[in-house]
Each structure stands twice: as structure tokens, then as C-alpha cells.
Amino acid sequence: MSEAEFTIIDSLVGVDPAQWQALAGDNPTLSYAFLHALHETNCASPHTGWTPRYLVLHRDGALRAAMPLYLKDHSRGEYVFDHAWADAFHRNGIDYYPKLLSAVPFTPVTGSRLLAHTQEDRQLLARAALQVARQLDTSSLHILFPDEQDRQALAEAGFMLREGVQFHWENAGYADFDAFLSSMKMEKRKKLKQDRRRVLDAGIAFEHLAGGQITDEALRFFYSCYVSTYEAHYSKPYLSLKFFQRILREQPDSLMIVLAKRGGQPVAAALNLVGGNIMYGRYWGTQEFVSGLHFETCYVQSIEYCIRHGIARFEGGAQGVHKMSRGLVPTPTWSAHWVADRRFADAIADFLAQETAAMDDYIDELAEHVPFKAAC
């Protein structure tokens, strides 16, 4: 095997998109178009506290492995919360920022962070990333939402693993939406039907727009809803209209919009990403309050779409026990962490051991309340 050559790059401009895609596969959040759009539209850039320091591995002049890495001077937009760790560093007079982070900005979706064809190259990336963290004199290195192959390589490299939970829907080969409803416990099925009826009685109808069906007008309406969701929480959105327009232009098949209308006029919208036989619920917003509209637009309509199109899984995004009543079930997620200061590393390791045990108990408890009938 030829010798591996590692390089740190601050842009994807010089990377061959086809070679990147060969590593990224069909996860839409890892595509060249998606990541490059985040940088080129300045959503994830030094200006917003996301400074790209991608680690790439070339062998025989070809891209063989890569790792999206960012220098961070804050912890926003990550969905794995380390604010208590940062506070502990600060209280002890030690800088927590900058830290080094491997993630898809603003996107709590599990996928590869060690982009490689072989486990050997994943292990090389994991060890090289530790060297980068040391060379950049960062307090720590965090890998968010890695997949199973990554976790194995990261654990072998000495990273600490942290468990979380999301809520995902699995397609059990339902013939139609009624078959899905029939799989639920009676009281859950009744409640879901009542919620749907309430939205219908409010005069709401739905359209599913995928890929080329999404017009700029529909995308602009979605974006106005997306912004309103952030404004309702007195914050600013992470992503710009230019970002979404660029994805629609360069990667249209990865987008699906649920559009809620009354009297032919749009009132709410949800945007999903699609790829690899998985739909990822991402963003939503509304121009007015209608009881039950959020759940119907974000979850139930997406599940119905997945059934109709034979999509295997719908990932409902971060947090939200309320999603269980719509058929989403608790699913473990993971992150991996390395801390340079041995004293803090030992303390965090002790914390994670306790937190993981508590998280396992929590997931087991949630599993006892899934909305489906017991298997015969």
C-alpha cells in the first residue's frame, strides 16, 4: 500500500466532487454539494464560528479518506451539549475554546464522520485527528453523531463515547397508512386519528413537493416559516435562503417539502432531506396556529410519504418524547470525545459512565411505552 499523505484544508474548492462523493455515499448531509453550500453561503464559516479544518488523506494522488473538521469558538448548532464542560473549564481558569469538532453543522443526523472505504483508513483518520487537535493546541476534539463503524475506530483510538437518544420511525413494510395505523395500540391510534381530523376540520390540506416539484416560490414560503420558528424563540436562524436555494439547484432530489394549505393558500411548511432510503426531518414553521398542525405537518405527513414511496426510515430530528405518540421510537445516538487535559478527561470519563447508565435506563423505560401493539 502506498504511503498516506494527510493534509488540512480550509475549503472544498480544490477537492474533486466525484472523489468526495465516492466517500460520502448517499447520505445527503455529507455530500459535497451540501457541505460546500454551507461554507460558500457563509452559514458555516469563520464569521459564524465554524472555521473549516478538514482532514483529507491522499494516496497515489487520489482522495482516499476525509473528515469534516471545524475549529469552534462556541458550542451552538451542535445538538450535543457540552456547556457544563465549558463552564467547568472557565471556572478553573482554563480555556475551553477553541475546540475541534467533527460534525455536519446544524445537523443532528447520524452518519460517517471518518469518510473512508476501509476500517483501516478510518482508524488512520481517527489517530490523525488527535494529532491535529494537539497541533492546533485545542482543548478537546468532539465527533458528533458518528455511525457504528466510526464508533469502533474512535473507541480504538481512545475516544470517550457519549450516548444520546433520538426518535425514529421504521417502515415495517406497511401496505398503506391504514396498515400503519392498525399496528398501533387502540388508544394511540384513536388519538392520532382525532388529531388528524382536527387539522382537516380546520380546512387544511397537504401537498408533498419533491425535487423538481419544488418551486422557488414554495421554497421562499418555507423559508419564511423557518425564520418565524426561530423568531418565536427570540433567536436567529442558522441557515440562509441562499443556502436552501443552492441545495435546490445542485441537489434537488435530496429535498422534500410538506406544504399545508387552506383555501389554496399556504399556511405552514416542513422541509425534509432524503437519501439512502432514509428521510430526515429537519425544519418547519407556520404562519398561524392550528391545533395539531405541527405534528401533522412534521411527522404524520412525512410517515405517510415514506409509506407511499417505500422509504425505510424517517428520522424525526433532535429530542422530543412527544414524537412517540406519532409512531417514532427511541433510538440511541452517539458522540465521541477526547480532552487534552488529563484531569478534566478523567472527570468527564466518570461523568459519562454515570450518564450512559442513566441513558440506557431511560431508553429502556421509553421502550415500554411505544405506541405499537405487542408482537405476537
Side-chain angles (χ1 to χ4, degrees):
M1 180 181 292
S2 300
E3 185 175 350
E5 180 184 351
F6 285 100
T7 310
I8 299 173
I9 59 175
D10 60 9
S11 170
L12 292 177
V13 169
V15 175
D16 184 310
Q19 291 186 18
W20 182 276
Q21 282 306 120
L23 296 172
D26 50 17
N27 185 320
T29 70
L30 292 167
S31 72
Y32 182 95
F34 192 90
L35 292 169
H36 198 39
L38 284 171
H39 305 151
E40 291 286 286
T41 59
N42 289 316
C43 295
S45 67
H47 175 72
T48 60
W50 294 79
T51 301
R53 288 293 183 266
Y54 279 32
L55 180 62
V56 295
L57 183 159
H58 286 85
R59 193 179 288 118
D60 296 326
L63 182 67
R64 298 298 184 184
M67 188 176 185
L69 280 173
Y70 297 89
L71 270 177
K72 292 290 302 295
D73 56 17
H74 58 71
S75 293
R76 295 187 295 276
E78 297 178 11
Y79 300 93
V80 174
F81 302 108
D82 62 353
H83 302 95
W85 302 357
D87 181 62
F89 271 67
H90 176 72
R91 285 188 284 106
N92 284 275
I94 301 173
D95 291 333
Y96 188 69
Y97 304 107
K99 65 179 184 179
L100 196 60
L101 181 82
S102 178
V104 177
F106 324 118
T107 309
V109 167
T110 293
S112 180
R113 302 295 177 256
L114 306 173
L115 304 178
H117 296 300
T118 68
Q119 195 66 2
E120 181 180 359
D121 279 346
R122 292 185 189 94
Q123 292 166 348
L124 285 176
L125 274 176
R127 292 194 293 268
L130 289 174
Q131 288 298 109
V132 172
R134 294 186 181 101
Q135 291 169 7
L136 295 177
D137 196 25
T138 58
S139 71
S140 50
L141 168 57
H142 311 266
I143 293 86
L144 309 186
F145 303 101
D147 62 17
E148 184 175 356
Q149 291 178 315
D150 285 1
R151 292 201 308 274
Q152 294 175 5
L154 292 165
E156 290 173 5
F159 284 80
M160 300 176 285
L161 297 181
R162 186 179 192 184
E163 186 176 10
V165 64
Q166 289 183 350
F167 297 86
H168 299 169
W169 173 85
E170 300 289 340
N171 191 341
Y174 301 111
D176 51 32
F177 192 77
D178 286 338
F180 162 63
L181 288 176
S182 296
S183 71
M184 303 181 78
K185 298 174 182 176
M186 182 179 67
E187 67 273 16
K188 300 298 184 182
R189 180 171 65 249
K190 181 179 179 181
K191 179 65 166 59
L192 198 153
K193 286 183 173 180
Q194 288 174 341
D195 290 344
R196 301 199 88 187
R197 172 56 60 180
R198 189 177 297 113
V199 174
L200 181 65
D201 289 346
I204 302 295
F206 292 91
E207 291 183 15
H208 299 159
L209 306 177
Q213 298 173 327
I214 301 173
T215 63
D216 186 64
E217 180 182 13
L219 190 66
R220 286 176 179 274
F221 175 76
F222 152 73
Y223 190 75
S224 70
C225 293
Y226 165 70
V227 170
S228 70
T229 298
Y230 278 83
E231 289 177 343
H233 294 88
Y234 305 100
S235 60
K236 295 181 179 180
Y238 292 124
L239 301 173
S240 65
L241 177 60
K242 287 184 178 180
F243 167 77
F244 290 108
Q245 289 174 325
R246 181 161 174 158
I247 295 300
L248 180 60
R249 183 173 67 251
E250 298 184 1
Q251 193 174 298
D253 291 343
S254 69
L255 297 181
M256 181 275 202
I257 289 179
V258 177
L259 200 59
K261 290 185 171 183
R262 179 194 284 124
Q265 296 300 312
V267 295
L271 182 141
N272 300 310
L273 295 172
V274 185
N277 209 25
I278 303 172
M279 176 178 283
Y280 305 93
R282 295 306 307 120
Y283 308 106
W284 114 286
T286 183
Q287 300 298 314
E288 62 178 277
F289 174 78
V290 176
S291 180
L293 183 59
H294 170 238
F295 300 117
E296 181 69 26
T297 307
C298 289
Y299 310 122
V300 182
Q301 286 292 317
S302 295
I303 289 172
E304 190 166 16
Y305 182 90
C306 287
I307 293 172
R308 187 176 300 132
H309 293 272
I311 296 174
R313 186 163 78 246
F314 170 63
E315 299 190 6
Q319 305 171 340
V321 175
H322 58 273
K323 299 170 186 176
M324 287 182 65
S325 63
R326 274 75 190 176
L328 287 78
V329 299
T331 305
T333 60
W334 297 90
S335 56
H337 307 269
W338 170 84
V339 177
D341 190 303
R342 191 69 257 169
R343 298 165 300 170
F344 283 96
D346 290 342
I348 289 172
D350 289 342
F351 165 77
L352 291 179
Q354 298 176 48
E355 185 187 54
T356 298
M359 182 60 68
D360 287 338
D361 289 343
Y362 176 61
I363 292 174
D364 288 343
E365 180 183 355
L366 289 175
E368 295 177 2
H369 300 284
V370 296
F372 299 104
K373 299 173 184 176
C376 297

